[in-house]
């Protein structure tokens, strides 16, 4: 199998770090040269938002993938005013010049966010977050009622960009975000995490060639005391699949746990590992979870190298051998401020989770802790992680 990567002079930064500002509003592309001096990356080129908006009408950039053609495709969450109906896909050439929109005219998605394509099935599927005018203000339930958050998967023909089908995930699939096909290019199935309803939804091709979906994993809300609501959702914030397609991992940002499922039978995932690395119900918090018989409990969370863990697990990335899972804890600065204000004050961190790749199992590595609160210019919020040269959540196989 051949991996689709851009190759050559430019590669992805290992991590994107942002300060507590509304970064989605910048709509700017920074191209970083990591070949000349990998330990001191330098700025190669900037694609300015006014040029993107003028040529495509797109703004609020999110997921990027390098295509086999050498082009770069980036999903966009709205127009310059933050309206979701302006979402679509930006196409840059191998020199990072703007080519235009990828999708055909009149075939833009209802909402934008993540996307993944499976070339052998001539299909690309994208997910739907919400209107930038809503989520940049933090999370508010009334925005859900007002229809400002998505619950759809958009099925496109690949590579020509025709919208063939829209899957409505209904009440079990609000806010579908990261989307992952199985890495095996012959497979016609994958998973998407639905943050608000805390479900993992499996999507798959049917016998007639159309696509369908079903809930594969459901994280039940916890009954709690001393919170704004009586129940606390898991709020799944990231998902990935190991390169051998054996394990699926995801993080519950509010509950505070990371889970590992065996998906060798894609229809019936089996929980084989779980570890707590923060969350709202950890010991020392005023918030407590309740069991069915009325008893309360809180999770034990270790201190790592003298640091009490802040926030909850958010973005995750897996080593290529599947033995090390890395996790950060910042979602988006406005949401961080809502649920974990200490993150904005003290900065976030990155942890390493050691994995049993035979039987399954997760364990915090006590010797690994990256503190972004100790940055020279003040606390930072760490979000996405990437392996230079490709990783489990960026590589697409042909």
């Amino acid at each position: 199998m051949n991996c689709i990567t851009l190759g050559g002079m430019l590669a992805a930064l290992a991590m994107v770090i942002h300060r507590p500002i509304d970064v989605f509003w910048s709509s700017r592309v920074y191209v970083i040269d990591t070949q000349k001096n990998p330990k001191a990356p330098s700025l190669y080129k900037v694609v300015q938002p006014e040029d993107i908006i003028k040529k495509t009408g797109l703004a609020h950039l999110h997921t990027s993938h390098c295509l086999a053609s050498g082009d770069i495709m980036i999903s966009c969450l709205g127009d310059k005013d933050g309206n979701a109906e302006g979402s679509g896909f930006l196409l840059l050439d191998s020199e990072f010049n703007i080519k235009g929109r990828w999708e055909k005219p009149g075939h833009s998605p209802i909402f934008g966010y993540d996307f993944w394509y499976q070339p052998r099935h001539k299909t690309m599927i994208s997910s739907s977050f919400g209107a930038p005018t809503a989520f940049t203000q933090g999370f508010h339930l009334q925005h859900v009622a007002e229809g400002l958050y998505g619950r759809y998967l958009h099925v496109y023909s690949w590579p020509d960009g025709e919208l063939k089908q829209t899957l409505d995930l209904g009440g079990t699939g609000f806010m579908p975000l990261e989307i992952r096909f199985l890495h095996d290019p012959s497979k016609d199935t994958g998973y998407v995490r639905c943050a608000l309803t805390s479900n993992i939804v499996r999507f798959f091709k049917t016998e007639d060639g159309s696509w369908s979906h079903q809930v594969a994993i459901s994280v039940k809300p916890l009954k709690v005391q001393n919170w704004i609501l009586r129940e606390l959702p898991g709020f799944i914030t990231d998902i990935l699949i190991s390169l051998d397609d054996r394990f699926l991992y995801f993080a519950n940002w509010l509950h505070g746990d990371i889970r590992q499922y065996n998906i060798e039978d894609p229809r019936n995932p089996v929980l084989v590992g779980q570890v707590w690395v923060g969350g709202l119900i950890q010991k020392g918090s005023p918030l407590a979870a309740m069991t069915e018989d009325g008893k309360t409990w809180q999770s034990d969370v270790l201190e790592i190298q003298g640091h009490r863990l802040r926030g909850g697990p958010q973005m995750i990335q897996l080593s290529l051998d599947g033995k090390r899972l890395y996790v950060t804890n910042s979602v988006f600065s406005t949401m961080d401020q809502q649920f974990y204000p200490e993150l904005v004050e003290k900065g976030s961190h990155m942890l390493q989770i050691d994995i049993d790749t035979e039987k399954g199992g997760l364990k915090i590595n006590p010797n690994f802790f990256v503190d972004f609160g100790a940055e020279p210019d003040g606390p930072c919020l760490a979000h996405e992680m990437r392996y230079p040269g490709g990783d489990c959540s960026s590589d697409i196989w042909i």
Side-chain angles (χ1 to χ4, degrees):
M1 295 188 295
N2 297 312
C3 175
I4 296 176
T5 58
L6 179 60
M9 182 181 69
L10 300 168
L13 277 176
M15 176 168 292
V16 175
I17 303 172
H18 61 81
R19 296 187 183 279
I21 58 174
D22 291 337
V23 294
F24 277 111
W25 286 101
S26 80
S27 303
R28 186 173 287 110
V29 178
Y30 295 96
V31 184
I32 308 298
D33 185 341
T34 62
Q35 186 181 50
K36 291 180 181 178
N37 187 349
K39 294 184 178 180
S42 58
L43 184 64
Y44 174 75
K45 185 175 183 178
V46 178
V47 184
Q48 297 293 349
E50 53 267 28
D51 296 328
I52 297 172
I53 292 168
K54 180 179 179 180
K55 295 180 180 180
T56 68
L58 295 168
H60 310 282
L61 283 59
H62 190 264
T63 298
S64 62
H65 277 297
C66 300
L67 311 187
S69 62
D71 291 341
I72 301 95
M73 183 166 151
I74 305 174
S75 62
C76 302
L77 280 62
D79 63 15
K80 64 181 179 62
D81 297 317
N83 300 305
E85 57 265 27
S87 62
F89 304 93
L90 170 66
L91 207 59
L92 306 176
D93 66 19
S94 59
E95 291 299 319
F96 307 97
N97 300 306
I98 300 168
K99 295 183 70 172
R101 285 182 179 241
W102 169 76
E103 76 275 17
K104 290 184 175 181
H107 289 253
S108 297
I110 304 170
F111 290 93
Y113 192 71
D114 197 22
F115 68 99
W116 197 284
Y117 55 97
Q118 201 72 314
R120 292 191 190 179
H121 293 278
K122 299 180 179 179
T123 296
M124 186 275 273
I125 301 182
S126 69
S127 61
S128 49
F129 183 13
T133 52
F135 64 73
T136 53
Q137 300 177 42
F139 179 72
H140 302 284
L141 283 172
Q142 68 265 28
H143 289 156
V144 179
E146 292 169 1
L148 297 179
Y149 283 96
R151 61 184 197 190
Y152 310 99
L153 297 182
H154 306 102
V155 182
Y156 283 87
S157 58
W158 183 265
D160 49 317
E162 181 180 351
L163 181 60
K164 307 290 288 188
Q165 188 178 357
T166 295
L167 301 178
D168 187 345
L169 305 185
T172 61
F174 273 109
M175 209 184 293
L177 300 178
E178 270 66 33
I179 188 167
R180 311 288 186 228
F181 268 104
L182 294 178
H183 294 285
D184 184 339
S186 68
K187 300 297 184 182
D188 56 2
T189 190
Y191 301 87
V192 62
R193 57 107 174 176
C194 301
L196 186 55
T197 43
S198 300
N199 289 323
I200 302 295
V201 171
R202 185 177 75 93
F203 55 87
F204 52 93
K205 185 185 280 188
T206 65
E207 291 184 358
D208 65 5
S210 64
W211 292 79
S212 188
H213 63 91
Q214 64 180 184
V215 174
I217 303 168
S218 185
V219 177
K220 294 182 179 179
L222 297 173
K223 294 182 179 180
V224 291
Q225 293 179 339
N226 304 321
W227 200 53
I228 56 175
L229 300 173
R230 293 181 179 180
E231 292 187 332
L232 177 69
F235 202 78
I236 301 173
T237 47
D238 198 13
I239 178 178
L240 63 77
I241 297 171
S242 61
L243 283 180
D244 59 9
D245 289 337
R246 290 185 60 222
F247 297 111
L248 179 149
Y249 299 87
F250 66 82
N252 287 307
W253 192 53
L254 296 184
H255 284 185
D257 61 313
I258 298 172
R259 298 190 185 190
Q260 177 191 27
Y261 283 79
N262 185 302
I263 55 169
E264 291 176 288
D265 178 357
R267 297 177 179 84
N268 299 293
V270 178
L271 180 64
V272 293
Q274 185 177 26
V275 66
W276 297 85
V277 294
L280 289 176
I281 56 172
Q282 61 179 293
K283 288 184 177 178
S285 166
L287 190 67
M290 295 186 296
T291 61
E292 292 297 331
D293 58 6
K295 295 181 180 180
T296 61
W297 64 273
Q298 294 177 308
S299 62
D300 288 309
V301 178
L302 298 176
E303 287 192 357
I304 306 297
Q305 298 182 359
H307 298 274
R308 181 174 177 81
L309 301 187
R310 304 184 286 271
Q314 212 284 88
M315 300 304 289
I316 53 178
Q317 188 54 261
L318 188 65
S319 62
L320 300 184
D321 62 6
K323 295 181 179 181
R324 299 174 307 282
L325 186 75
Y326 298 95
V327 55
T328 55
N329 54 350
S330 170
V331 170
F332 186 60
S333 57
T334 50
M335 293 187 184
D336 293 346
Q337 185 66 56
Q338 275 185 289
F339 295 100
Y340 296 110
E342 187 182 33
L343 273 184
V344 177
E345 177 188 350
K346 297 183 178 181
S348 62
H349 51 62
M350 181 168 67
L351 308 175
Q352 178 183 314
I353 310 298
D354 294 330
I355 297 172
D356 183 337
T357 57
E358 296 298 323
K359 298 179 181 179
L362 307 177
K363 185 178 180 181
I364 299 174
N365 186 324
N367 301 313
F368 186 98
F369 185 87
V370 180
D371 186 3
F372 292 96
E375 289 298 303
D377 294 325
C380 290
L381 300 175
H383 186 78
E384 193 80 36
M385 293 164 286
R386 285 286 183 262
Y387 270 80
D391 54 49
C392 294
S393 56
S394 63
D395 280 4
I396 293 175
W397 306 85
I398 59 176

